[in-house]
Every structure is written in structure tokens, then in C-alpha cells.
Amino acid sequence: MNSLLHSKLRRGSSDDNMIPLINIVFLLLIFFMVAGQMRAGLVGDITLPDANLETPTPPKAIAIQIDRSGQTYLFGTPTSIEDIQQQLQTLPAEQPLNIALQADRELKAAQLDTLLAALRGLSNATTSLYTKKGAN
């Protein structure tokens, strides 16, 4: 009888040891769910094109977005291409500029070329066209 009671106690204590482990796993799950959503979202209705390339994100990039209607945004604020060009030209010429260009996949090439032509005039700028990972 004593051994039966002892085995029941032992089985209950092993279940009790699982509770801290479950708590830790649950907290890690919540942490990674929150940490995964801390990226700045796209403004408007912009769908990035697909790509299979693995390129690092340039540090301290200047975010320029253009939606399918041709509306341009500088750091999420609607603005014209001329205003973007003026604002970028006022920055110090000795400091290299990293431009993160996010264009909608439905955007016409002629509309994108207008923005790229304005950015070509900046001698100290590097432009990266962002795409969505996982192209077929």
C-alpha cells in the first residue's frame, strides 16, 4: 500500500515540474509574436513585388514609397517628386544617402522612371528597390 501511494505522489510531482516550463514557453511565444510586429508598415495600398534575392537592409535608409496611382511618400508623408528631390539635395553632400524605395508591383514603369530620374541627380545616393521575399 505504501508503494502505491509513493508512485501516485511521484507521478503528481512530475506534472508539477512541467508548469514552469510551460510558462517559459508561453512567455517566449508572446515575446516573439510582439517582436516580430515591430517593423514599420507600408502606407496606403502598396503591394511589394516578389524576389528571391537575399540582400541586407541598408542602415538608416531614407524611406520613399510610391503606390500604384503614382502618389509618392517620404517617410510616410505624401509629397511630390520635386519636393523629395529638393529635400534630399539639402542634406550634406559628403554624407552618403541610402534610399529605400518601395514601389507597388502594379505601378507603371514610366511612373517609376520619373522618380528614379529625380534620384539619379543625387551623386551621393544609393537606391535599393525593396521586394517581398518568396517569389515563385
Side-chain angles (χ1 to χ4, degrees):
M1 181 79 167
N2 193 12
S3 66
L4 180 64
L5 180 63
H6 183 63
S7 67
K8 285 185 179 182
L9 288 175
R10 183 184 275 174
R11 192 175 323 139
S13 66
S14 67
D15 291 341
D16 291 341
N17 290 337
M18 290 296 292
I19 292 173
L21 179 64
I22 292 170
N23 288 341
I24 290 171
V25 170
F26 182 68
L27 289 173
L28 285 172
L29 176 68
I30 291 173
F31 171 77
F32 286 113
M33 286 173 53
V34 171
Q37 299 298 323
M38 291 191 178
R39 172 183 78 168
L42 297 174
V43 296
D45 187 23
I46 296 176
T47 305
L48 297 176
D50 298 327
N52 280 331
L53 302 175
E54 293 289 333
T55 57
T57 303
K60 298 181 183 176
I62 297 169
I64 298 176
Q65 300 172 345
I66 184 167
D67 62 16
R68 68 183 63 169
S69 68
Q71 174 62 52
T72 54
Y73 301 86
L74 181 62
F75 293 113
T77 305
T79 186
S80 68
I81 294 175
E82 294 80 21
D83 288 340
I84 291 173
Q85 189 177 24
Q86 279 183 333
Q87 289 181 22
L88 295 179
Q89 286 176 343
T90 61
L91 297 174
E94 62 274 356
Q95 180 182 1
L97 301 176
N98 292 319
I99 298 173
L101 180 58
Q102 299 168 332
D104 190 276
R105 72 185 325 171
E106 301 296 323
L107 183 71
K108 302 290 183 204
Q111 293 171 310
L112 182 60
D113 190 48
T114 306
L115 176 60
L116 291 174
L119 296 176
R120 269 187 226 114
L122 303 169
S123 61
N124 60 337
T126 303
T127 303
S128 301
L129 181 62
Y130 278 51
T131 57
K132 183 173 63 174
K133 186 177 180 181
N136 294 333

